[in-house]
Amino acid sequence: MLDIKNMTKQDFYYDLPKELIAQHPIEPRNHSRMLKVDRLSGNCEHLHFYNLCDCLKEGDLLVLNDSRVIPARIYGERTDTKSFIEFLLLEAKGDGSEWEILCRPGKRAKVGKRFSFGEGRLLAEITEVLEDGNRIARFSVPSGESIYSVLDEIGQMPLPPYITEKLEDKERYQTVYSHEAGSAAAPTAGLHFTKDMLKEIESRGVGIAYVTLHVGLGTFRPVKEDKVLEHKMHSEHYEIGKRTAELINQTKANGGRVICVGTTSCRTLEAAAQLHGKIIPCEGRTDIFIYPGFEFRVIDALITNFHLPESTLIMLVSAFLGYDKTMAAYKTAVENKYRFFSFGDCMLIE
């Protein structure tokens, strides 16, 4: 039995053959496999994502994260030496002209140094070096344009390092309902939906609501501390609108299930409930860390991809499903050759 007070990251390790790491998305989107897991018994059923409609009930509510990934990886040169530089934009600051970035090689990005991207379409100057090695850069774009429109032209999708094959279509790393630009990584549980499937779900009396959580790379960074409780999460911006808050509260009052699509939607709702005692229209930042022992206040079911060993995301799943059931489900997924991580298959935990 897991000792919650003395959990170590090794408790959340599992063996994953390299060939099970998905390198490209399935076509069509909803033909990915789905491991349905009973939260009480741990029993598993092997389905496909297009079977989800038959798993939902009238009166249920799906909560989706509508954040849109920025093509935030850009390549350019230092204006004085013409030496190569790579930036990864993480999060906008203030009015959006300044961003926190990762860059390499870092030694070329000292305070005051200037850079050019896309043959001068985008210019940047380093204004600050942060304690963790990240930088703050101030950007300038041609008059009448936004940094987002320029990034759409010259930027590349910031795919995780375990995806080594080139992505031909940028939109395959976006959900079909993505709307609010700001994420450094996709809320990948939503990648399985098609527009037609969402219409069918609504036609069956299942509600759909949207939250926004701009996914930062901190969510995916490895846990460095051996003891789980010593890990510190990076904060991310979230927003819950009035209509979404109303739908969630109506669903709970009527006895329906609130089903979060992805760990990002889950963290958004549970962070808001933890802060306000209930779901209300709100926005802010959250560094909520969900691990076994966490008391869930809002969500009743969860759709989520298969996550990296020793990650905070598998810890969240273990908190919801239970540690032993989670590790058993992952063992089942490996044995049945499910596809793992961002472009992989998913679980429905209910």
Side-chain angles (χ1 to χ4, degrees):
M1 187 171 179
L2 184 67
D3 181 355
I4 293 176
K5 289 184 179 179
N6 295 303
M7 286 182 294
T8 66
K9 66 180 182 180
Q10 288 83 8
D11 289 325
F12 299 90
Y13 177 81
Y14 64 93
D15 284 316
L16 180 68
K18 187 177 180 180
E19 61 268 21
L20 297 186
I21 300 174
Q23 293 298 313
H24 54 82
I26 284 285
E27 295 292 349
R29 288 174 181 256
N30 63 353
H31 279 234
S32 51
R33 297 169 73 191
M34 182 173 73
L35 184 67
K36 181 182 176 184
V37 186
D38 185 281
R39 195 178 171 199
L40 292 178
S41 67
N43 291 338
C44 294
E45 185 178 355
H46 302 285
L47 304 172
H48 285 85
F49 195 73
Y50 51 71
N51 299 128
L52 175 66
C53 299
D54 298 324
C55 301
L56 302 176
K57 305 170 186 175
E58 185 176 352
D60 285 345
L61 179 69
L62 283 179
V63 181
L64 313 174
N65 180 9
D66 66 3
S67 184
R68 185 168 177 81
V69 186
I70 306 167
R73 193 180 300 279
I74 53 177
Y75 302 96
E77 61 185 19
R78 211 167 88 175
T79 54
D80 55 353
T81 62
K82 305 301 180 184
S83 52
F84 169 84
I85 196 75
E86 175 189 343
F87 277 15
L88 178 60
L89 282 66
L90 299 179
E91 184 178 15
K93 303 292 184 182
D95 63 1
S97 62
E98 286 195 327
W99 286 71
E100 182 175 349
I101 64 165
L102 287 171
C103 61
R104 62 179 184 179
K107 63 183 179 181
R108 293 177 184 165
K110 297 177 181 177
V111 172
K113 295 302 179 183
R114 298 181 179 184
F115 302 88
S116 173
F117 303 90
E119 298 181 346
R121 296 275 292 129
L122 186 62
L123 302 175
E125 179 181 347
I126 303 299
T127 61
E128 186 180 353
V129 177
L130 303 177
E131 286 186 9
D132 60 3
N134 291 359
R135 268 69 169 169
I136 302 295
R138 181 183 296 114
F139 290 88
S140 58
V141 298
S143 178
E145 296 195 66
S146 72
I147 189 170
Y148 297 107
S149 65
V150 176
L151 287 173
D152 279 338
E153 281 184 41
I154 69 172
Q156 296 185 17
M157 280 300 178
L159 296 179
Y162 48 75
I163 296 176
T164 58
E165 295 184 12
K166 185 177 180 181
L167 180 65
E168 298 297 334
D169 179 7
K170 286 182 182 180
E171 284 301 308
R172 285 304 274 111
Y173 196 55
Q174 304 280 15
T175 63
V176 297
Y177 49 81
S178 64
H179 183 261
E180 301 293 330
S183 278
T188 54
L191 294 178
H192 308 284
F193 285 94
T194 66
K195 290 182 179 180
D196 286 343
M197 194 171 168
L198 289 170
K199 290 177 184 176
E200 182 182 351
I201 286 169
E202 286 190 299
S203 74
R204 296 190 180 202
V206 176
I208 295 178
Y210 297 94
V211 297
T212 302
L213 183 136
H214 291 318
V215 187
L217 292 184
T219 302
F220 304 96
R221 280 182 172 156
V223 176
K224 294 181 179 179
E225 294 80 4
D226 185 52
K227 290 189 176 180
V228 168
L229 299 187
E230 293 177 0
H231 176 70
K232 301 297 181 185
M233 294 284 284
H234 284 66
S235 69
E236 297 163 312
H237 179 268
Y238 73 92
E239 184 171 353
I240 300 173
K242 181 180 178 181
R243 180 60 179 156
T244 292
E246 289 173 348
L247 286 169
I248 291 169
N249 291 323
Q250 287 171 6
T251 299
K252 300 296 277 189
N254 294 335
R257 298 182 301 171
V258 173
I259 303 169
C260 277
V261 177
T263 57
T264 60
S265 299
C266 170
R267 289 189 294 115
T268 300
L269 296 191
E270 295 299 333
Q274 195 176 70
L275 184 62
H276 301 289
K278 59 182 180 179
I279 298 298
I280 62 172
C282 57
E283 67 175 306
R285 300 187 66 82
T286 180
D287 60 357
I288 191 170
F289 183 15
I290 298 177
Y291 50 80
F294 182 86
E295 183 179 342
F296 290 86
R297 303 186 185 194
V298 185
I299 81 165
D300 302 295
L302 177 67
I303 298 169
T304 183
N305 280 19
F306 293 98
H307 304 294
L308 274 73
E310 301 183 349
S311 65
T312 61
L313 302 180
I314 193 174
M315 294 172 191
L316 183 153
V317 174
S318 298
F320 186 68
L321 176 58
Y323 173 77
D324 291 334
K325 296 187 189 84
T326 298
M327 303 312 288
Y330 269 64
K331 186 174 185 289
T332 296
V334 170
E335 290 172 347
N336 286 273
K337 300 190 183 310
Y338 277 69
R339 300 166 76 248
F340 278 65
F341 306 163
S342 296
F343 285 145
D345 299 315
C346 69
M347 305 171 72
L348 168 62
I349 305 168
E350 61 173 16

